[in-house]
Amino acid sequence: MTKVIFLDAAGTLFDVRGSVGEVYGKFSRRWGITVSNEELNTAFFQSFANSTPMAFPGRESAKIPQLEFEWWQAVCANAFQIAGVFNQFSDFPKFFAELYAHFATAEPWFVYPDVLPALNRWQQQGIELAVVSNFDSRLYAVLKALNLAEYFTSVTISTEVGAAKPDSKIFTTALQKHHCIAENVVHIGDSFKADYCGAINAGLKSIWLNRKQEKFDLGKLDLTNSQNIQEFPSLDFMSKL
């Protein structure tokens, strides 16, 4: 019996309007820098993929917001370096501060159309809802701005836990908040490796929200049990968990 549903945030509940490259391009043009959105988008994901997980084990909680800011600044700077325009900025730290604050608002995000019907349905069924995400502490402001915060009993993020999905620690930390055994919890997320594999390996039930209809070579992934993978293209198909 499912008593709690854990949900990933970005890519599951909401996502960037257009693309990250479009947002980066819009802000960089304000600084007189011209570079294609497509090039910036590719550069961003290359930079993001090459970055270490956003988790700061052993660090004081009061220092986490600044560490998050510095982590994202390095990712962003590297993206513009890959795109070959970083040196054109007259004051990159000021540019980045404006960009970083923008992503804490509702403006760059959209909520997937299947999200609110699913959240309302699960609440009516008496299921507790929680967010488990590798997002940073801006997530609290984003959830509130997108009118999603009221649905969730708890929010667990990698930077506060000191471990990022697929690390089991972030899932066990979330479980402790709900005083619930893993067998009664389902985790739903769009990343096969971080969400599906991470939750399964932590002992939870898991559903892969495969919005982009991706394909993976399961034999190359760290998954203790690759049989009977539960996969759906949207939350609309999850009528009963």
Side-chain angles (χ1 to χ4, degrees), residues 2-173:
T2 300
K3 294 184 177 180
V4 184
I5 295 176
F6 292 168
L7 291 129
D8 175 50
T12 298
L13 298 173
F14 57 84
D15 215 331
V16 177
R17 293 183 185 275
S19 70
V20 174
E22 288 182 34
V23 180
Y24 277 28
K26 176 183 176 182
F27 272 74
S28 61
R29 283 188 288 275
R30 294 177 183 175
W31 285 71
I33 296 168
T34 302
V35 58
S36 76
N37 295 341
E38 293 77 12
E39 188 174 359
L40 278 177
N41 201 57
T42 299
F44 166 77
F45 282 103
Q46 183 180 337
S47 177
F48 186 84
N50 291 334
S51 300
T52 58
M54 189 169 48
F56 313 107
R59 305 303 293 269
E60 297 176 26
S61 59
K63 295 181 179 179
I64 295 299
Q66 181 60 31
L67 292 170
E68 293 171 340
F69 182 90
E70 292 170 357
W71 188 94
W72 276 113
Q73 183 170 345
V75 170
C76 183
N78 188 43
F80 280 99
Q81 287 169 347
I82 293 170
V85 295
F86 177 79
N87 292 332
Q88 296 180 29
F89 283 97
S90 59
D91 188 344
F92 185 81
K94 184 177 180 181
F95 160 81
F96 177 74
E98 295 174 357
L99 183 67
Y100 191 77
H102 179 68
F103 276 102
T105 70
E107 187 176 344
W109 307 104
F110 74 92
V111 177
Y112 284 103
D114 58 343
V115 168
L116 290 178
L119 297 180
N120 284 313
R121 181 170 67 248
W122 291 328
Q123 273 199 338
Q124 291 169 4
Q125 294 172 358
I127 297 173
E128 285 187 31
L129 302 173
V131 174
V132 179
S133 172
N134 288 350
F135 211 97
D136 55 73
S137 56
R138 289 174 298 174
L139 180 58
Y140 297 101
V142 172
L143 289 172
K144 186 174 181 179
L146 295 176
N147 298 315
L148 294 174
E150 63 187 42
Y151 288 96
F152 300 105
T153 304
S154 73
V155 175
T156 304
I157 58 177
S158 60
T159 54
E160 294 176 348
V161 173
K165 293 180 292 185
D167 192 307
S168 294
K169 183 178 179 181
I170 191 170
F171 295 103
T172 56
T173 299

Side-chain angles (χ1 to χ4, degrees), residues 144-220:
K144 186 174 181 179
L146 295 176
N147 298 315
L148 294 174
E150 63 187 42
Y151 288 96
F152 300 105
T153 304
S154 73
V155 175
T156 304
I157 58 177
S158 60
T159 54
E160 294 176 348
V161 173
K165 293 180 292 185
D167 192 307
S168 294
K169 183 178 179 181
I170 191 170
F171 295 103
T172 56
T173 299
L175 281 173
Q176 291 167 3
K177 294 179 180 181
H178 291 264
H179 309 288
C180 190
I181 60 174
E183 290 79 4
N184 290 337
V185 179
V186 174
H187 177 72
I188 302 171
D190 68 298
S191 170
F192 185 80
K193 186 173 183 179
D195 291 304
Y196 187 85
C197 297
I200 289 292
N201 291 340
L204 283 70
K205 298 175 184 176
S206 189
I207 293 174
W208 180 25
L209 183 61
N210 190 6
R211 293 192 182 278
K212 298 179 181 179
Q213 293 297 282
E214 297 176 272
K215 301 294 182 183
F216 288 100
D217 182 351
L218 302 182
K220 295 182 179 180

